[in-house]
Structures are given as structure tokens and as C-alpha cells.
Amino acid sequence: MNVKQYLDATYLKTASQAGLSEAENLVVVKEAIAEAIAESFKLIMIRPEYVALAKELITKANSTLLIGTVIDFPEGKSNLETKIKEANEAIENGADDLDFVCNYEAFKNGDTTLVKEEILIGTQIGLAHNKTVKWIIEVAALSDKEIIQLSALIKNVVMSNFKEENYSAVFVKSSTGFFKTKDNLPNGATIPAIIMMLENASPLPVKAAGGVRSYDEAIEMIRLGVKRIGTSAAKAIANGENTSNQY
């Protein structure tokens, strides 16, 4: 099994979050892109402000590495107009994958109309430009029942409004990796959460993001049925090493 083709190498920290200057953080971003190119990973997942840079470096290297970025990250609370603006800018800058943070707080508060609309419009924008769309549901913020319901809601919106040939390009994704949990509980993908997502999002694919820290854990996720894995330790995982990285 070529685990590298499941790995979305990820670096989503701002300079302040990383404790670096803007110039230092830019160096880290460039190193992450270069590593993803050299290791032949599926995709590099970076913040929107670095997408154009990634496109330039990937083109220069004649690489097939895909570029993913996040929309309305990490809380997903912005209005639909903001999500649309960010998505269109990412497309213009050369992004291949658009990872929207679903407004899970609105969902938890019962505003399913708002959530359905953003899923519909965001997915329409992505598919109209031949992009892959992922909806981050933030499993650590949800109860088991809510994970099941939100996964099913996304599936139902997609199946009701798009052709079957598009289903494989619309993912349900577990986590941002930035949600703060109480008592140091997991804030990313767990086996129970992923199983619930797989059972209720199908036929849409699932991406496990956050908490996959070893080759064995990655293989376990793949065997469960996930199609993509987001991790900031892609190289270590591909080399069969364990890592203490939180995402």
C-alpha cells in the first residue's frame, strides 16, 4: 500500500501560533511545500495566503502535488458571503482542494437551514471549478448523535443536488486540529468518530484529520475506509515512525 497517496501534508499555523516571526513562518511553509514535493505526497494543505506561493513552487518543480487550503478556518462561524469570497480567492490563486469549516455551532443550535445553504453553495462553487470540496465538522465539538446527524446532513444535501459522478469529490472531514477540548481529550480523528462518519456520510468519502500520529494508525484509518488523512507529520508516518505532533 502506498500510504503517501493518502496523506495530505499539513501546515496551518499562523506565525503567532507557531511562535515565529512572519519571515520565519514563511520559511517553514516553503520547507513544508518542498518536503511534500520531494516525498510525492497527495497534497499540501496550507493557509490561503500561501496558495499562490505553493502554486509557483510546484509548477517550478514540475510536480503533480495538489494544493489544499482552508475556508473560514478554524471556527466556521463566518457568514456565507465570507465563505464564498474566501473560496473564490483560493480558486483564483490555484487551490485544488477547498476545505470549508462547516458552521457546526449553527448546527448544534438547530439552524440546519443555514448549514444546508452553505454546504450547497460552497459545494457548487468548488465543483463548478473542478475542485475537491471537504466539509470539516469538528468531531471534538460534537456529541456522537451530532456527528451522525451532521455527516448525514452533508450527504443528503450533496445527493439531493449533485450527480453521482460528483460524490467522490465531496468529503466529510473530521477536524481542524485547532479545537480546544477540556481535560486534554482528543481534538481530532478517533476511531469511533471516523466509523460514525463513514457509516453516515457514505457514499461521500471521509478524510481523517488530526490525531493520526503513526504509520500503523494511518493504515488502520485506511482499512476502515478513509480516502485521505490530514497530518503535519506526513514524512514521519510514511517512514513508519511515531510522532508527538498534535495534528
Side-chain angles (χ1 to χ4, degrees):
M1 180 185 295
N2 181 10
V3 70
K4 289 184 177 182
Q5 282 303 296
Y6 289 86
L7 298 179
D8 290 355
T10 303
Y11 185 73
L12 292 170
K13 288 183 179 180
T14 62
S16 60
Q17 287 167 342
L20 301 172
S21 69
E22 292 292 345
E24 290 169 334
N25 203 46
L26 179 59
V27 171
V28 176
V29 171
K30 288 181 177 178
E31 289 173 346
I33 296 167
E35 179 179 275
I37 291 170
E39 296 292 328
S40 299
F41 292 131
K42 177 77 173 181
L43 174 144
I44 181 73
M45 177 63 61
I46 49 175
R47 297 184 69 86
E49 58 265 35
Y50 301 121
V51 170
L53 169 66
K55 187 69 173 179
E56 179 185 342
L57 295 175
I58 291 166
T59 300
K60 190 177 295 184
N62 195 29
S63 169
T64 59
L65 180 70
L66 299 175
I67 303 168
T69 197
V70 285
I71 308 297
D72 197 15
F73 188 83
E75 295 185 339
K77 293 180 181 178
S78 299
N79 58 34
L80 180 56
E81 288 71 24
T82 298
K83 278 183 160 75
I84 291 171
K85 182 174 182 288
E86 288 186 20
N88 283 325
E89 288 176 353
I91 291 167
E92 289 171 10
N93 288 332
D96 299 293
D97 286 29
L98 306 176
D99 289 30
F100 292 83
V101 182
C102 181
N103 194 332
Y104 57 88
E105 288 293 347
F107 175 78
K108 287 167 67 72
N109 292 331
D111 194 350
T112 55
T113 299
L114 182 154
V115 177
K116 287 178 181 178
E117 183 181 22
E118 71 173 21
I119 292 164
L120 174 61
I121 301 300
T123 302
Q124 282 176 336
I125 291 169
L127 293 182
H129 291 87
N130 297 313
K131 307 301 181 185
T132 295
V133 175
K134 308 191 197 84
W135 289 98
I136 305 172
I137 65 173
E138 200 66 278
V139 293
L142 305 176
S143 67
D144 288 357
K145 182 179 180 181
E146 288 166 342
I147 292 170
I148 290 168
Q149 290 176 332
L150 186 48
S151 297
L153 182 152
I154 296 169
K155 171 190 69 177
N156 290 335
V157 170
V158 173
M159 292 185 71
S160 298
N161 293 281
F162 302 96
K163 296 179 180 178
E164 185 175 351
E165 64 201 49
N166 297 128
Y167 297 171
S168 63
V170 186
F171 282 68
V172 181
K173 177 178 171 181
S174 61
S175 316
T176 63
F178 284 76
F179 183 77
K180 301 298 183 185
T181 55
K182 295 180 180 179
D183 303 322
N184 205 31
L185 291 170
N187 75 340
T190 63
I191 294 297
I194 292 299
I195 289 173
M196 286 184 279
M197 291 170 64
L198 287 163
E199 289 178 345
N200 293 280
S202 179
L204 305 187
V206 167
K207 175 176 174 177
V212 181
R213 302 189 182 98
S214 71
Y215 176 83
D216 288 343
E217 288 175 346
I219 293 299
E220 185 173 14
M221 288 289 180
I222 294 166
R223 286 178 175 158
L224 282 175
V226 305
K227 300 303 181 185
R228 303 277 278 277
I229 297 170
T231 174
S232 59
K235 185 175 180 180
I237 289 172
N239 289 339
E241 302 165 6
N242 292 337
T243 174
S244 59
N245 288 31
Q246 294 303 299
Y247 186 98

